[in-house]
Each structure stands twice: as C-alpha cells, then as structure tokens.
Amino acid sequence: MPARRGLCPNYGNCPARADTREVIEVPEGKDFLCPDCGTPLVPEEEALRRPRKGGKRTVFLLLLLLLMVAAGAALWLSLRGQPQRTVGPPAKPPSQEIPPRPVERILFTVSGSRILGEKLVPDLVRAFFSEELRATGVAIRHGKDGRSVVVAGKSAEGSAELSVRLVLSSTSDGWRDLAADAAQVAMAFRKITPEEAIAFGKAIQITAPDSEHVIGVSGIAAVVSPASPVSRLSLGELRKLFGGEVADARALGFPQAKVALYAPSAASGSWQLFSRRVMAGSAGSADVIRREGGAEISPLVAGDAQALGLVDFPHIGACKALALYEKGTNPLAPTFASLESEAYLLSTRLYLYTKGRGRNPDVDAFLQFVLSDRGQQQVQKSGFVGAATKPAEGAESLIQPATEIPRDAPASYRNLVKEGNRVAFDVRFRTGSAELDNKALVDIRRLAKLMEGKEGKGEAVLLIGFTDSVGDRAYNLRLSVERAQSVGQALRVLGIPVAATAGQGDQMPVASNETEEGREKNRRVEIWIVRGKAAAPSTAP
C-alpha cells in the first residue's frame, strides 16, 4: 500500500514540521499524526487547496488601506474649491517688563586688627546698614579663608546692593592699607606711634580728631585656669615668664616648675601692644605657643592649671584673669570698671583711623553712627567697653559709691574726696597740654547725661587733675590744675554744676611713667560727685 502524505497544522508549536510546512509520509496502518507533536495531519491534497493562516487578515488590511486613500482624496478635493486662509506668524505673548538688576555698590573697605574685625566692626556695619541706611536683608558673610568678611544688604529703595568689605590681618597692616588707599578705614587695637604715622606724610594728620576715632576700650588679660592658685602678677614677672627667664615658676605661685605659655601671633595688635608695654619690644621666648587669637587660647588655658595665656578682654571666657601691678600701683584685674576708667595697666583704646572727613560721605556717615549712642551700645553688646550715654535711670551705674582711696594718696586729696563718689571714667589729655584727647570729648557728653537733674539734689562735680612725671613738679602742678579747669569749663558750657577744680601734679600715678602708654594713663582728670560745696581747691599736693 502506498504511504499517506500530509502536513502538520500546529503552527507555532511544532517548529520542525508545521512551521517549515514539511510534507510528512506516514506508512499505511500507522496513525496519521505528526511524529513530533502528535497533532493529526492534514492530507496533502486538502492542505494545498486551503488558504494559509493569516491570508484573510492580509486581505482585510488591503481593503482598509484602499478606504483611507479614498477618504484622503475626497477631503483634498473638497478643500481645493474653498478660498485659502492666509497663515501669519504665531501671536506674540504680551510683553512683560524685566525689572532692572540692582547695581552693586561697595561703600568702603576696612582693613586691620583681627580682634576688631572678627565681630565688633561687622556688627557695627550691620547696625549702620539696618538702622541708618534702612537697608533690608542685611547679612554678614565670612570668607572661607578666615581673613575676609563682607556685610551686604539691599538699599531702602531696592535699586542697589550695598556692601562693605573687611580684610582681617593686623593693626599694622591696616595702617599700611590705609596709607596706600587700599582701604578707607583702618582698624587698630592700639594707638599709632609717631614712627608709624610717618607713612601718611605731612599732608595727613593721622592723630587729629577727624582722623583718629576712639570707638571703645578693651584690654589684654593675663589668664590662668580657675584651678590655678595664682591670682596676681607684676608686669616684671610677666616679662620674665614670657621672656623665658623663669626657671622655676613655683616661686611665683604655680603648682609646678614649668608653665605652658600661650600668646597670639607675633603680627597681631595684641602681641605688639603687650610686647611694647611689658616686653620692652622683645619677641619673647621661643617656648611661647602661638595661636591665632584669644578664641583659641582661652579654652586651652582654662583646662590646664599649669598654663598662662594672653587674650583680649572679650575672650577671657572660663579663665581667671590675673590682677596686674607695677611699682607704685595697686593690683587691678580687667573688669568693665577698670577698663572704663582705663586704670587697668594693659587696657587699650580701640581705634578706627581715616584720612580725615570729607573724602568719602559713606565713611563719614558710618563714623558718625559708631560714635553715637546707638553705635556705642553696639560696642558694648559686642563685649567691649563703649561710651554710650545711658538713660537717667541707668546712668547711676557709672557712679562708684564705695571707692577705695589709694594708700599713697596725700592728705589734701583725701580731704577733697572723703564724702564723694567717683565716676567710673577719667578724662585724659594730649601730651604737655590741657587739650582734651579724642575720647574725652565723648566722655564729657556722658557726664552731662549723668548729671541731668542732680543740681536740684544739691550734687555737683569735683574735678581733680593729674600729670605724668615729665617736667618739674611745679610745672606739673600748674598743668594738673589747668587740666581740671579745662574740663570744668567744658562742663559749665553744657550746664553741669562744678563744685571745685583741683590739681595733684604727678602724684598718685596709675601706671609707670617710663613708657608712653603709662604716661598717657597718668595724664588724667578724675571726676567725683559731691554734695553741696566741695572743699576749697587744692594747688599743692
């Protein structure tokens, strides 16, 4: 019998037979099935007559395509007979005015002392922007290098971005930048020396009242750990310690022989001041550990009973500040009272220097703000001693009701002040004259505020003048009286009752007369509040 022939219809599931449309021969008597998938075979004759799977779908697609072509042709014919519309450019959105970008304006640049530039002066500039210029969004930005600060804000009308740039370096660098016009204001932790003033030439009187501006008082503190038994040192002992001349510190009260000494960098204004007043210009021992400033030194000393450090007044922190003295003076620790009177041996005035008024109106406005009550209150908020005239109810804090009379005070002095109360600050003068120095002009205003209403209570001012030791005693006595009278005249103009003026010459120095800084402290007028008429003026010590 001939074999039967067929095709497997199991498309997609039988790749070897169905998908290849292979003709399969099956011997007679065998099941007419696909040998691979077992699906019944379709006889060859029938498979050739049947259309392949998917054929109907192909026909359908062809018909659909013909219909779409016909529809597109009909639409084209219908549009051809209509008038064509002119297509213009796309409509523009309504114009929107872009506001002009604020103009960036740098008001001025300040350079100098890091102690002033880290917090005090940026705080003053921020207050000046907010309170005086009415600027908005005022912010202080510190540079990543630790040596630059920018205070910026938007002007009141919003048309300008205002800024003041600060360069934090040293007092000497500030004067150098000011002289070279790289800055318009110099920050100084000490007074400029005659040698340093030479850089400004004869045309600029850098110590004149319109160039040298005293904005506050601070001081250098010698600090130890609260656990240290040491509470006082003389300036001579400090000089020996930082000069490496003390072999065994136990003789000075320290628990052990060797002391860890910390000081700010040699280029800083605080070390320069300490070096000149204490070290006679010496650079100090190589064993002194240098740090950037008081913020780094204070915590190191506070935790070490065998350490001694030098910091500026606002950075005493958890340390104990030592009382300092020298021959002929009483030990005094740095406090707001001893700094305000400038009796503390290492007190120092804080200065802003300019090249006079009228060069930059923004600088002039800033200085006027700094020296105002609002500016001086900001000085005090920053941790320094300002010269704000307190309101009547707070001004009484400037009076020291229990003032200790120095042991070396002459009898004439004791008789003058025995029933009086001393005012916290003294008035000081320029060398060899009865001319008030820059800070004294501000202090006179404070005294006027203090004395408001006191005349009705029978209280008046007693003024006692002093000099340094330069010149003979007779000359110094006359000069001390003239200084007291100079202050008295300024007070009377302001309506302040003056009970008496007196002079004590070069008696009762508060600092050494061997240095310029010490002599400056000794040229002073003490202010006392007395009841009724004071004792007759004294012209002899």
Side-chain angles (χ1 to χ4, degrees):
M1 293 287 296
R4 301 177 62 188
R5 295 165 58 90
L7 285 80
C8 178
N10 192 13
Y11 299 108
N13 296 315
C14 185
R17 307 284 184 168
D19 294 347
T20 60
R21 296 188 60 79
E22 177 185 349
V23 177
I24 304 171
E25 291 186 357
V26 180
E28 187 68 27
K30 297 290 185 179
D31 292 332
F32 197 52
L33 303 173
C34 176
D36 287 352
C37 64
T39 301
L41 299 176
V42 176
E44 184 179 15
E45 299 83 3
E46 183 180 345
L48 293 175
R49 292 195 302 268
R50 181 184 299 179
R52 293 178 58 183
K53 187 175 181 180
K56 293 182 179 180
R57 180 180 179 184
T58 302
V59 173
F60 172 77
L61 290 175
L62 288 173
L63 292 174
L64 180 62
L65 180 61
L66 289 173
L67 287 173
M68 292 177 65
V69 171
L75 179 62
W76 178 78
L77 290 173
S78 64
L79 293 176
R80 187 180 178 186
Q82 296 182 4
Q84 296 183 357
R85 297 178 181 177
T86 302
V87 180
K92 294 182 179 180
S95 60
Q96 297 180 354
E97 293 186 2
I98 301 175
R101 186 174 182 178
V103 178
E104 295 183 6
R105 189 160 73 91
I106 301 175
L107 302 187
F108 50 88
T109 299
V110 187
S111 176
S113 169
R114 176 178 292 274
I115 293 175
L116 276 68
E118 285 181 336
K119 179 172 173 59
L120 174 58
V121 175
D123 285 350
L124 285 169
V125 175
R126 177 170 58 186
F128 171 65
F129 273 28
S130 300
E131 299 179 25
E132 197 70 17
L133 302 184
R134 304 299 179 188
T136 59
V138 182
I140 298 175
R141 299 192 295 268
H142 293 266
K144 294 182 179 180
D145 58 0
R147 296 182 178 275
S148 61
V149 178
V150 175
V151 183
K154 186 173 290 187
S155 62
E157 68 280 2
S159 62
E161 288 285 349
L162 309 177
S163 67
V164 168
R165 309 295 174 90
L166 286 84
V167 180
L168 279 54
S169 51
S170 67
T171 293
S172 298
D173 288 338
W175 288 323
R176 190 178 303 114
D177 287 345
L178 179 61
D181 290 327
Q184 291 72 53
V185 182
M187 304 176 286
F189 192 67
R190 59 179 177 85
K191 184 179 178 67
I192 194 169
T193 66
E195 294 76 19
E196 291 165 327
I198 293 175
F200 292 91
K202 296 181 179 180
I204 304 295
Q205 298 296 321
I206 198 64
T207 57
D210 62 347
S211 295
E212 183 182 69
H213 313 275
V214 181
I215 65 169
V217 179
S218 186
I220 301 170
V223 295
V224 295
S225 167
S228 173
V230 181
S231 60
R232 64 175 64 180
L233 287 173
S234 70
L235 294 190
E237 290 167 339
L238 270 181
R239 180 170 56 252
K240 291 179 180 179
L241 281 164
F242 281 90
E245 301 175 22
V246 177
D248 190 343
R250 288 177 293 187
L252 301 178
F254 286 91
Q256 300 175 23
K258 187 171 179 58
V259 177
L261 301 170
Y262 294 92
S265 67
S268 67
S270 53
W271 173 259
Q272 291 173 2
L273 182 66
F274 180 79
S275 175
R276 192 171 67 252
R277 290 193 186 180
V278 179
M279 305 295 295
S282 168
S285 169
D287 293 332
V288 176
I289 303 169
R290 301 286 181 173
R291 290 291 182 266
E292 192 65 42
E296 294 182 31
I297 294 173
S298 186
L300 295 172
V301 174
D304 184 356
Q306 200 60 24
L308 172 65
L310 301 175
V311 301
D312 53 302
F313 179 68
H315 287 122
I316 292 175
C319 296
K320 177 173 65 176
L322 300 180
L324 303 180
Y325 65 96
E326 56 187 347
K327 186 178 179 179
T329 66
N330 296 317
L332 273 179
T335 62
F336 276 99
S338 66
L339 291 177
E340 191 157 35
S341 67
E342 300 183 77
Y344 176 63
L345 290 177
L346 296 185
S347 65
T348 181
R349 294 179 176 184
L350 308 176
Y351 297 88
L352 293 180
Y353 284 87
T354 64
K355 288 186 174 180
R357 299 188 187 277
R359 293 172 175 265
N360 184 318
D362 295 313
V363 171
D364 293 345
F366 173 64
L367 289 171
Q368 184 176 357
F369 171 79
V370 170
L371 296 175
S372 70
D373 278 351
R374 288 178 295 158
Q376 289 298 294
Q377 288 166 5
Q378 185 61 58
V379 171
Q380 294 170 178
K381 289 178 183 178
S382 298
F384 298 91
V385 178
T389 55
K390 302 180 182 181
E393 62 274 13
E396 295 295 332
S397 62
L398 294 174
I399 299 176
Q400 302 173 344
T403 305
E404 182 181 353
I405 306 300
R407 296 178 182 178
D408 60 347
S412 58
Y413 177 87
R414 292 178 179 274
N415 289 334
L416 281 168
V417 304
K418 63 182 178 181
E419 295 181 357
N421 294 317
R422 187 174 173 180
V423 176
F425 55 86
D426 296 337
V427 176
R428 287 182 163 77
F429 297 82
R430 297 184 181 276
T431 306
S433 74
E435 181 185 355
L436 298 173
D437 70 7
N438 297 347
K439 183 174 183 296
L441 302 174
V442 177
D443 289 335
I444 292 296
R445 186 183 65 199
R446 301 173 71 197
L447 185 60
K449 189 71 175 181
L450 173 63
M451 293 303 296
E452 285 182 359
K454 285 190 176 294
E455 188 173 12
K457 300 179 182 179
E459 294 180 329
V461 171
L462 168 65
L463 303 168
I464 307 175
F466 297 86
T467 69
D468 56 33
S469 62
V470 177
D472 60 58
R473 299 197 68 182
Y475 168 79
N476 287 335
L477 180 58
R478 290 194 304 272
L479 182 57
S480 67
V481 173
E482 289 174 3
R483 286 173 171 169
Q485 292 172 343
S486 174
V487 177
Q489 182 179 2
L491 296 180
R492 289 188 180 97
V493 170
L494 296 174
I496 300 174
V498 178
T501 57
Q504 292 289 315
D506 57 8
Q507 300 296 302
M508 300 171 57
V510 295
S512 171
N513 278 302
E514 296 180 1
T515 65
E516 173 54 36
E517 289 80 7
R519 291 190 291 272
E520 184 179 16
K521 289 181 179 296
N522 292 329
R523 299 190 295 265
R524 69 194 190 279
V525 169
E526 291 183 358
I527 305 172
W528 293 73
I529 307 299
V530 296
R531 285 188 173 276
K533 185 174 179 60
S538 172
T539 58

